[in-house]
């Protein structure tokens, strides 16, 4: 039974207790009313879902649509330079994360073979090699250095470029534009310019691959005459964007979290067999991809509430992953925890396609970093680390680190 609590106006986004915990207001809301009405900054009324069981149920229920063309996207936070939406966003060809079956099914099915657990395991040695080569480059530098620039961003960028067949030499194009696209406080013109820059580049790339395909995922897709160039471009955008931004932020923020928990870091260094479980716990604990939207296609009961047809629903994976009804002492990082069942990769038909790839990259990245840099530490006070509170994927803008010795 829901308790009587004030209906939130907008969504508090600041992680005010620590860089890693959910906002206190979100925590209070989850404890009192896990499925709660909320008023968006533009005055529109909708819902926010923060409880683990309710979030899991919602994401498995296809009556909650992912199609932004069914409803107006009312952002849960203030965006001063963005005009208030007045009509639904059009559906973007190929962007299957914002589609429902059967369109979602048709496009996602074309990629399942490329991201199977078996194929990812076959790539593991290559991914470890990429991480180790980047660690070699890092070890040649004189500290302090920015771990984001020199390690956390290059590793997943190199991996996804190789998999997709995107020239790594073009990384400035997609890294700058994808970062701009993720900013919250940016004008619509600037956001669309970043998006257009990315999609124009990718449209030219997939057009070339259709003419002369190589041995990579985008070439495999380009051989499929069932896909249009527009769909290929949308798929390429989604894979490239998600394939480097999320893992890069996890590597940087995860390292920050471990440095702030030196006893657990020492355990990991001493026993690398703990790494797979630690990666799951870091995914749960940090929840870098927090806010998702769904649209109710009919009246739906969820968590004792009736969500009316047409309602915009905000889902907080961060709040769900820190729900004490599911995880004991959820605001504590515990590398011994069995964190399987966390929702950081989503749930249901939209569960992250590249999750096994991300896990392998994180295991290789963290294991190599801790082994090669036994004296790694922050080069600035923790309170001075620049957090990505201004972005739609959480992380750190920079992570200055230093060390006194390196190892093999």
């Amino acid at each position: 039974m829901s308790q009587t609590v004030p209906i939130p106006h907008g969504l508090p986004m600041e992680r005010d207790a620590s860089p890693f915990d959910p906002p206190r207001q979100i925590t209070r809301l989850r404890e009192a009313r896990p499925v709660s009405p909320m008023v968006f900054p533009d005055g529109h009324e909708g819902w926010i879902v923060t409880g683990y069981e309710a979030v899991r149920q919602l994401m498995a229920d296809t009556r909650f649509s992912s199609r932004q063309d069914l409803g107006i996207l009312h952002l849960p936070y203030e965006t001063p330079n963005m005009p208030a939406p007045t009509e639904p966003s059009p559906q973007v060809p190929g962007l299957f994360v914002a589609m429902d079956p059967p369109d979602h099914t048709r496009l996602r099915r074309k990629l399942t073979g490329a991201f199977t657990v078996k194929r990812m395991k076959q790539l593991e040695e290559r991914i470890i090699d990429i991480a180790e080569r980047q660690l070699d480059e890092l070890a040649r530098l004189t500290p302090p250095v920015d771990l984001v620039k020199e390690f956390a961003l290059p590793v997943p960028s190199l991996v996804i470029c190789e998999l997709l067949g995107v020239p790594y030499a073009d990384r400035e194009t997609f890294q700058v534009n994808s970062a701009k696209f993720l900013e919250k406080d940016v004008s619509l013109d600037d956001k669309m310019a970043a998006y257009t820059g990315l999609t124009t580049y990718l449209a030219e790339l997939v057009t070339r691959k259709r003419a002369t395909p190589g041995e990579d995922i985008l070439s495999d897709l380009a051989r499929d005459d069932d896909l249009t160039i527009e769909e290929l471009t949308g798929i390429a955008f989604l894979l490239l964007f998600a394939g480097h931004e999320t893992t890069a932020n996890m590597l940087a923020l995860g390292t920050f979290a471990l440095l702030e928990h030196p006893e657990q870091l020492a355990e990991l260094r001493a026993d690398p067999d703990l790494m797979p479980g630690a990666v799951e716990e870091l995914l749960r604990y940090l929840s870098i991809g927090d806010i998702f939207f769904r649209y109710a296609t009919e009246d739906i009961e969820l968590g004792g509430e009736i969500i009316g047809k047409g309602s915009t629903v905000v889902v907080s994976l961060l709040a769900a992953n820190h729900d004490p009804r599911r995880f004991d002492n959820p605001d504590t990082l515990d590398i011994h925890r069995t964190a399987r069942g966390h929702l950081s990769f989503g749930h249901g038909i939209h569960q992250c396609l590249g999750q096994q790839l991300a896990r392998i990259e994180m295991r290789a990245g963290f294991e190599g970093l801790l082994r090669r840099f036994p004296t790694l530490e922050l080069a600035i006070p923790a309170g001075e680390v620049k957090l990505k509170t201004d972005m739609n994927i959480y992380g750190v803008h920079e992570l200055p680190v230093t060390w006194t010795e390196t190892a093999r």
Side-chain angles (χ1 to χ4, degrees):
M1 190 78 178
S2 297
Q3 299 177 31
T4 301
V5 291
I7 295 174
H9 285 245
L11 179 65
M13 302 295 288
E14 296 290 336
R15 303 195 184 200
D16 44 14
S18 86
F20 314 114
D21 294 340
R24 291 187 182 96
Q25 190 175 338
I26 284 283
T27 299
R28 289 193 293 267
L29 184 65
R30 182 193 59 220
E31 299 315 305
R33 197 172 183 181
V35 180
S36 172
M38 74 172 285
V39 179
F40 291 82
D42 63 1
H44 173 79
E45 294 183 3
W47 294 83
I48 177 170
V49 184
T50 53
Y52 177 89
E53 288 300 333
V55 167
R56 187 177 169 89
Q57 181 182 335
L58 179 150
M59 299 190 88
D61 190 337
T62 54
R63 294 176 299 170
F64 287 103
S65 175
S66 298
R67 287 176 53 186
Q68 293 180 14
D69 60 320
L70 293 183
I72 295 173
L73 180 60
H74 299 270
L75 294 176
Y77 40 80
E78 297 287 357
T79 52
N81 295 321
M82 291 280 280
T86 56
E87 58 185 40
S89 302
Q91 202 158 18
V92 178
L95 209 67
F96 57 87
V97 71
M99 294 179 181
D100 297 335
D103 297 325
H104 170 269
T105 310
R106 177 179 74 88
L107 294 176
R108 179 161 173 141
R109 188 176 289 150
K110 295 181 183 297
L111 281 162
T112 50
F115 288 94
T116 60
V117 175
K118 182 179 179 181
R119 183 163 184 186
M120 290 302 105
K121 289 293 288 182
Q122 291 170 344
L123 288 168
E124 188 162 4
E125 281 191 23
R126 177 60 185 144
I127 293 168
I128 291 171
D129 181 59
I130 287 172
E132 290 295 329
R133 287 175 181 271
Q134 199 61 39
L135 287 166
D136 289 341
E137 295 295 321
L138 183 62
R140 293 188 186 101
L141 301 176
T142 301
V145 302
D146 174 17
L147 197 73
V148 175
K149 178 183 177 183
E150 304 298 344
F151 181 69
L153 185 56
V155 169
S157 296
L158 281 161
V159 171
I160 199 65
C161 281
E162 190 167 304
L163 280 178
L164 297 183
V166 174
Y168 184 64
D170 296 343
R171 62 191 178 279
E172 287 295 324
T173 299
F174 67 77
Q175 287 175 354
V176 170
N177 283 327
S178 65
K180 178 62 68 175
F181 187 72
L182 281 170
E183 286 185 37
K184 292 176 188 172
D185 186 12
V186 64
S187 72
L188 182 60
D189 286 345
D190 284 349
K191 193 173 282 279
M192 289 310 299
Y195 174 75
T196 301
L198 266 171
T199 53
T200 300
Y201 165 75
L202 290 169
E204 293 170 355
L205 181 66
V206 295
T207 299
R208 291 199 303 271
K209 289 184 180 296
R210 176 151 279 178
T212 53
E215 296 299 321
D216 54 72
I217 289 175
L218 291 184
S219 291
D220 290 346
L221 291 169
R223 291 185 179 95
D224 188 340
D225 292 334
D226 182 45
L227 293 170
T228 65
I229 290 295
E230 291 75 21
E231 286 177 324
L232 285 168
T233 301
I235 293 171
F237 169 81
L238 185 59
L239 295 179
L240 182 63
F241 184 75
H244 81 279
E245 280 288 352
T246 50
T247 306
N249 283 296
M250 273 301 305
L251 285 171
L253 190 64
T255 301
F256 182 24
L258 289 172
L259 291 172
E260 286 296 281
H261 295 80
E263 291 181 1
Q264 297 195 54
L265 184 147
E267 282 192 78
L268 269 180
R269 208 175 250 131
D271 185 3
D273 288 344
L274 293 172
M275 188 58 74
V279 165
E280 298 305 316
E281 171 65 352
L282 286 165
L283 284 162
R284 179 205 69 83
Y285 181 64
L286 300 174
S287 300
I288 60 162
D290 179 13
I291 298 301
F292 289 84
F293 294 87
R294 294 291 187 267
Y295 303 93
T297 58
E298 58 184 80
D299 291 352
I300 306 169
E301 188 277 331
L302 183 69
E305 310 280 356
I306 300 297
I307 296 180
K309 180 179 180 179
S311 295
T312 301
V313 184
V314 176
V315 182
S316 174
L317 300 187
L318 172 65
N321 279 335
H322 283 247
D323 189 340
R325 298 176 183 89
R326 176 61 178 81
F327 300 102
D328 292 335
N329 301 313
D331 295 341
T332 299
L333 178 67
D334 179 5
I335 61 170
H336 298 284
R337 184 196 306 273
T338 302
R340 288 281 183 175
H342 66 75
L343 299 172
S344 297
F345 289 120
H347 183 62
I349 64 170
H350 289 286
Q351 192 171 39
C352 177
L353 191 63
Q355 60 182 286
Q356 299 305 330
L357 175 64
R359 286 184 169 105
I360 293 169
E361 289 177 292
M362 281 183 272
R363 290 198 296 264
F366 290 131
E367 191 279 327
L369 187 65
L370 299 190
R371 172 174 43 82
R372 299 283 299 273
F373 296 87
T375 57
L376 189 73
E377 62 181 5
L378 289 178
I380 60 174
E384 294 180 12
V385 173
K386 296 176 182 177
L387 302 168
K388 288 189 174 180
T389 54
D390 58 335
M391 309 288 277
N392 287 315
I393 295 181
Y394 193 56
V396 293
H397 285 289
E398 299 173 354
L399 191 69
V401 294
T402 188
W403 59 85
T404 56
E405 60 181 284
T406 60
R408 290 302 301 176

